[in-house]
Amino acid sequence: MRACLFMLLWLAGMAAADAQQQKPTRFWNLTRHVINELSLAPAGTTNFGPNQCKNDKDGTVDPDERLRITGVPPGTYDIRLKDISGRQCIVRGVKVEAGEIFSIEEKELTACEKRGQFPMPIRPAS
């Protein structure tokens, strides 16, 4: 009886772990603007990956919308985003976990530039 109960609990645990791995990692836009480019780089580097907004059917992420993130393993990332107002921002040290949602809020957008202004220096995180 105990062996059967143990086996059922083990199988339930394995199913829950499998479901967690299949759940997509997502970005939640908590800024005021529509984002049309979002790229991630391992923290402290400038090796930004592809534009994740291409994962959305209209190629943008509206405020309060979530976006599926693909091809990004768990870790800490610097995120570069561009919005339709022409602003480009870098948010440093964002933790990305498999199957979880990470977000960026408007108050976190402190390292930004507007198109046509001087280029924003990209410095390694300290």
Side-chain angles (χ1 to χ4, degrees):
M1 178 85 167
R2 277 188 172 168
C4 185
L5 180 60
F6 175 76
M7 181 62 86
L8 285 174
L9 289 173
W10 181 79
L11 287 172
M14 293 299 291
D18 188 46
Q20 177 69 19
Q21 289 176 352
Q22 292 177 1
K23 196 167 122 181
T25 301
R26 294 183 295 162
F27 162 70
W28 187 6
N29 180 9
L30 295 177
T31 72
R32 293 182 301 195
H33 298 281
V34 175
I35 296 172
N36 54 16
E37 186 174 319
L38 184 119
S39 301
L40 291 82
T45 73
T46 58
N47 301 327
F48 288 97
N51 180 5
Q52 294 287 329
C53 288
K54 292 181 178 181
N55 297 335
D56 191 79
K57 62 184 174 190
D58 69 358
T60 63
V61 188
D62 296 324
D64 200 35
E65 183 181 4
R66 291 178 179 95
L67 171 71
R68 182 184 193 110
I69 301 297
T70 61
V72 177
T76 303
Y77 291 89
D78 293 340
I79 298 177
R80 178 179 63 199
L81 63 87
K82 294 179 184 177
D83 63 35
I84 62 169
S85 75
R87 182 174 60 162
Q88 176 177 304
C89 306
I90 303 284
V91 180
R92 300 193 185 286
V94 177
K95 188 174 182 181
V96 175
E97 297 179 26
E100 298 296 324
I101 298 170
F102 66 94
S103 63
I104 295 177
E105 298 181 30
E106 190 68 33
K107 66 183 178 185
E108 296 175 272
L109 301 180
T110 57
C112 300
E113 70 174 29
K114 279 281 229 188
R115 253 182 230 142
Q117 293 180 342
F118 57 90
M120 177 178 48
I122 299 176
R123 289 178 239 135
S126 49

